[in-house]
Amino acid sequence: MGRVRRRPLALTLLAAAVVGVGIVAAVALGAGGSSVKSDYAVATSGLERLEPADTAEAPTGLGTSRPEVTTGAPSMPLAGKTVVIDPGHNGGNASHASEINREVDIGTGKKECDTAGAETASGYTEAAYTFDVAQRLRRVLRRLGAQVVLTRKNNAGVGPCIDERARIGNRAHADAAVSIHADGGPSSGRGFHVIYPESIPGLTADIVAASKRLALDLRAAYQQGTGMPRADYIGSDGLDQRGDLGGLNLSDVPKVFIETGNMNNAADAAKLSAPEFRQRVAAAIAVGIERFVQG
Ligand code: ZN
């Protein structure tokens, strides 16, 4: 601990992944690294590895899903920190319209529980995408020592509703919460953007400043780590501030949404559909979270 690190470990991991030298990532992790296998190597092996916990339980219904909690080694830079990852939507939402259309309180009014989410032209759903990225991100964050909570266990269930997704972050007293999405924007528009909350007295006023900092850290890390351009069809310079999202309005912890690309755009969809790119997405988001949490 006496040596000054020149860059976050997650950045080291990312650099290793980008050049495709998985072993460098393991070595860079130092103590305990000998048992660590590069996510990049996993991603390119053609085998999708599931955490045991991901397959331990049957799909859950609305309101019955419990978040998973995993803890990393105490010597890691994010030891003692809690990160909530919220993979947007769920695989069962599309076939459960009545549950998903049920209105919930979002602090400023009512809004539907959730939506089915976006989908690429070839049928890759946003729900499947966000869950895949969330699992990859969890692995990276755990290696950095973070305690990680996911808002859903698998991609075969329904919900949880947006208000519950916010409450999961609150109950975990998360140091940062990130909701992962891929947009369903106009097919001519491409790029990513990060959404942070508007200041709403009594709701988000106390988390806006920190959430904006998280948004800026994520924007920088995501652009650098993935090469995805800032959205040219929404927001401004890859940022958008919104007061209509229950997942943000009801959060008591620093929280943002990241729309990692536009599934309706052919160029973005091609990237988002590639496992290697999703590994970059996860590594880049981890860098942004680490920068934010470490201040
Ligand atoms: Zn979404």
Side-chain angles (χ1 to χ4, degrees):
M1 296 299 285
R3 188 171 59 89
V4 174
R5 256 192 297 105
R6 293 179 185 273
R7 58 181 178 176
L9 281 175
L11 192 60
T12 306
L13 272 172
L14 175 63
V18 168
V19 297
V21 185
I23 191 66
V24 173
V27 171
L29 280 166
S34 59
S35 64
V36 174
K37 190 176 173 189
S38 160
D39 274 343
Y40 185 83
V42 172
T44 53
S45 72
L47 295 172
E48 290 293 328
R49 182 168 63 90
L50 287 178
E51 300 289 326
D54 295 329
T55 55
E57 294 198 18
T60 54
L62 268 180
T64 60
S65 63
R66 287 170 301 160
E68 284 177 57
V69 177
T70 50
T71 307
S75 62
M76 295 301 179
L78 293 184
K81 304 296 184 182
T82 300
V83 178
V84 167
I85 306 169
D86 174 35
H89 315 282
N90 202 335
N93 285 9
S95 57
H96 291 76
S98 60
E99 289 96 325
I100 290 308
N101 291 334
R102 177 174 71 84
E103 289 196 328
V104 297
D105 191 343
I106 65 162
T108 54
K110 300 263 188 183
K111 198 167 181 179
E112 290 76 19
C113 160
D114 204 344
T115 64
E119 189 173 328
T120 68
S122 57
Y124 185 43
T125 67
E126 180 186 357
Y129 166 82
T130 63
F131 192 67
D132 180 86
V133 169
Q135 289 177 288
R136 295 173 188 275
L137 177 56
R138 173 172 57 186
R139 287 196 287 269
V140 178
L141 291 171
R142 286 176 66 188
R143 283 178 198 160
L144 298 173
Q147 178 172 273
V148 181
V149 177
L150 261 61
T151 59
R152 57 183 169 103
K153 291 179 178 301
N154 53 49
N155 193 42
V158 180
C161 296
I162 52 178
D163 56 339
E164 176 62 11
R165 289 174 190 258
R167 282 194 284 268
I168 289 170
N170 297 345
R171 285 198 295 268
H173 302 290
D175 293 283
V178 176
S179 192
I180 297 167
H181 289 259
D183 208 3
S187 61
S188 59
R190 64 163 310 195
F192 80 97
H193 67 287
V194 185
I195 305 168
Y196 65 100
E198 278 181 9
S199 183
I200 303 171
L203 281 178
T204 57
D206 55 341
I207 63 159
V208 169
S211 298
K212 184 170 186 181
R213 235 181 5 95
L214 175 58
L216 293 173
D217 284 338
L218 275 176
R219 180 182 67 173
Y222 193 78
Q223 187 167 7
Q224 183 180 15
T226 68
M228 183 72 86
R230 296 175 182 180
D232 59 11
Y233 66 96
I234 193 169
S236 175
D237 290 329
L239 292 177
D240 200 6
Q241 189 175 23
R242 291 175 60 172
D244 64 325
L245 297 173
L248 295 182
N249 287 359
L250 300 176
S251 182
D252 295 327
V253 299
K255 184 171 181 183
V256 299
F257 281 39
I258 181 164
E259 296 281 0
T260 52
N262 177 13
M263 289 199 136
N264 285 340
N265 176 275
D268 282 9
K271 285 182 178 294
L272 301 172
S273 300
E276 296 83 358
F277 187 79
R278 294 198 293 275
Q279 191 59 35
R280 285 185 175 218
V281 168
I285 292 174
V287 169
I289 291 171
E290 185 184 357
R291 283 180 186 158
F292 169 76
V293 170
Q294 294 197 315

